[in-house]
Amino acid sequence: MTTIERAEVLLTSPGRNFVTLRITTSDGVTGLGDATLNGRELAVASYLRDHVVPLLVGRDPARIEDLWQYLFRGAYWRRGPVTMTAIAAVDVALWDVKGKVAGLPVYQLLGGRSREQVLVYTHASGESVPEMLEDADRARELGYAAIRVQAAVPGIAGTYGVKKNGRYEPADHALPQEQPWSTEAYLAFAPDYLRAAREHLGAEVHLLHDVHHRLTPLEAARFGRSVEDVGLYWMEDPTPADSQDAFRLIRQHTTTPIAVGEVLTSIWDVKDLITEQLVDYVRCSVVHAGGITHLRRIYDLAALYNVRSGSHGASDLSPVTQAAATHLATAIPNFGIQEHMGYPDLTAEVFHGGARYDGGALHVDDVPGLGVEYDDAAAARFEYSPKYLPVARRLDGSVHDW
Ligand code: EZ4
Ligand code: CO
């Protein structure tokens, strides 16, 4: 019988930190899984190295579902981002192995092609509204038909979600940067720049906006209502992630579509949102929500309730995740849209291949598995060093929500 012979946890930092799990079978087939949890990378690396890899060696790599259940149900401690990212890394690496063994791209193993291409949205942002609009023009020139727009709130230094010097990398400090936050200033400013973006870009562009969990349910309801004329594709993460209940109130008051999920890690965290149709898009990711196996389960539940996918795809999710998400998006019936930011130039020196961007969409090549290779020699040139996401404080000094 073919067994899992080796599982290695690989750390590298080609432009930013990435953790990768590589599984090698007794037949010499390798598979890759992303294990990157932004700002908490070493916790997942240890979870894998110290507590998961010893359980994998000697097992049948073909039994993806059984290994998923074993690692999830068998661990006693369930859910949470560290656990679910570790399980995802194993799951995605095993799908990669299965594809290579079968000689088929992963989307074929998931039921085959449901669409010709995977619609993506990218980010446009600026320290000022004209700068944001200029960035949106650049995205249009690159062919993007869907754009997430964010502008720095005047008087609020270092607004989250805005590029600095043309680069979007929120986790770029050795210790967390503390950023001020004012809900009042944001609410007074954001509707106007969203309107300016709509006027500038015209009716045919999909416009998205990320609230980054900063509002109360009532504030989010009012905000959603106040931008209904903009016709947003979605309002992302309006409230802190802990409460699915919050969305009932938001839903009663606005027809602005709602997307949520990038910090949610299991089907139980989105169950009420989906079954009560409180959101329009689920944005969980392959890497943080238990891999292809579990995200597929979430999206299948969503399909029953007319909720569509909108997988998180920021650049802290590695090219392995981007490829896995694109395979899944190619196969599922209820795909909505996929986030696509691209990576720092150096990233391609370590991760070869993967999903290809062309004409506003992502495409996967018909190669066995996920189609991503990891270059050990290149990876060795980029040493991991701790980097944190910022922490938001209100103007009175107290910690605000994500
Ligand atoms: O804050 O990926 O939709 N994208 C985002 C990102 C996330 C980071 C967190 O690691 O909101 O900027
Ligand atoms: Co977001």
Side-chain angles (χ1 to χ4, degrees):
M1 183 186 83
T2 304
T3 57
I4 296 173
E5 193 168 271
R6 201 162 65 241
E8 302 153 278
V9 179
L10 312 166
L11 268 71
T12 185
S13 192
R16 72 161 349 277
N17 291 324
F18 294 113
V19 183
T20 307
L21 181 73
R22 178 170 54 209
I23 289 179
T24 305
T25 72
S26 53
D27 294 333
V29 178
T30 60
L32 298 176
D34 181 17
T36 310
L37 184 61
N38 210 4
R40 296 292 185 273
E41 293 85 1
L42 299 185
V44 181
S46 162
Y47 191 108
L48 283 167
R49 210 179 264 144
D50 299 328
H51 303 294
V52 172
V53 171
L55 313 182
L56 297 179
V57 175
R59 283 179 195 277
D60 181 355
R63 295 175 65 160
I64 299 177
E65 179 69 43
D66 184 62
L67 261 169
W68 196 98
Q69 301 293 335
Y70 181 81
L71 293 174
F72 181 84
R73 302 179 121 137
Y76 188 78
W77 308 107
R78 294 189 181 202
R79 297 158 67 171
V82 174
T83 299
M84 297 308 279
T85 302
I87 294 176
V90 175
D91 183 79
V92 172
L94 292 177
W95 280 103
D96 194 18
V97 166
K98 196 181 273 301
K100 288 181 184 175
V101 169
L104 292 170
V106 167
Y107 77 82
Q108 291 290 10
L109 307 178
L110 299 172
R113 191 177 280 284
S114 283
R115 57 188 48 75
E116 302 310 319
Q117 55 176 32
V118 170
L119 173 71
V120 296
Y121 71 92
T122 194
H123 292 196
S125 64
E127 294 289 348
S128 66
V129 176
E131 204 180 298
M132 177 193 81
L133 297 177
E134 220 174 277
D135 202 28
D137 288 340
R138 179 203 52 83
R140 291 291 287 149
E141 277 159 29
L142 293 170
Y144 290 98
I147 307 174
R148 188 193 95 161
V149 285
Q150 313 285 139
V153 180
I156 299 300
T159 304
Y160 187 78
V162 174
K163 293 174 191 171
K164 286 180 205 85
N165 309 317
R167 180 164 175 263
Y168 185 95
E169 179 47 82
D172 63 350
H173 284 69
L175 287 171
Q177 194 197 17
E178 303 200 358
Q179 291 181 342
W181 173 255
S182 161
T183 296
E184 292 76 10
Y186 169 75
L187 288 176
F189 177 63
D192 287 344
Y193 80 68
L194 294 177
R195 229 159 263 134
R198 173 58 77 207
E199 264 169 42
H200 184 78
L201 293 165
E204 74 280 9
V205 176
H206 293 315
L207 275 183
L208 300 79
H209 179 64
D210 196 341
V211 181
H212 294 294
H213 312 106
R214 300 289 166 98
L215 301 178
T216 65
L218 195 66
E219 288 162 354
R222 282 172 49 210
F223 176 72
R225 182 182 279 190
S226 75
V227 296
E228 279 172 12
D229 59 315
V230 178
L232 287 181
Y233 189 89
W234 75 38
M235 157 173 83
E236 177 173 329
D237 292 340
T239 49
D242 321 283
S243 170
Q244 297 182 59
D245 301 333
F247 288 82
R248 290 199 193 96
L249 187 140
I250 304 171
R251 201 59 157 173
Q252 278 169 19
H253 291 286
T254 178
T255 57
T256 293
I258 303 168
V260 74
E262 67 179 62
V263 299
L264 302 177
T265 59
S266 79
I267 198 165
W268 298 278
D269 302 312
V270 291
K271 178 175 85 48
D272 300 342
L273 297 177
I274 292 171
T275 59
E276 295 182 40
Q277 296 181 309
L278 300 177
V279 300
D280 302 276
Y281 298 90
V282 174
R283 299 192 59 259
C284 299
S285 69
V286 167
V287 55
H288 301 137
I292 291 171
T293 296
H294 196 64
L295 192 58
R296 172 88 205 230
R297 199 148 282 152
I298 291 173
Y299 287 158
D300 280 345
L301 178 67
L304 299 182
Y305 296 93
N306 283 310
V307 175
R308 292 194 282 155
S309 74
S311 297
H312 187 208
S315 47
D316 52 294
L317 286 65
S318 94
V320 176
T321 288
Q322 187 78 259
T326 307
H327 280 276
L328 187 57
T330 298
I332 59 173
N334 56 325
F335 168 74
I337 198 165
Q338 165 71 42
E339 186 177 22
H340 175 62
M341 292 174 61
Y343 297 98
D345 291 341
L346 294 176
T347 303
E349 296 189 17
V350 174
F351 297 93
H352 302 312
R356 269 181 307 105
Y357 172 79
D358 182 41
L362 281 173
H363 310 257
V364 282
D365 292 322
D366 275 329
V367 298
L370 292 171
V372 185
E373 295 303 325
Y374 191 87
D375 185 330
D376 287 278
R381 290 191 278 115
F382 307 110
E383 204 181 326
Y384 167 86
S385 70
K387 292 280 188 302
Y388 286 89
L389 286 164
V391 173
R393 286 191 187 274
R394 299 173 191 135
L395 300 185
D396 70 358
S398 55
V399 173
H400 193 62
D401 290 298
W402 260 118

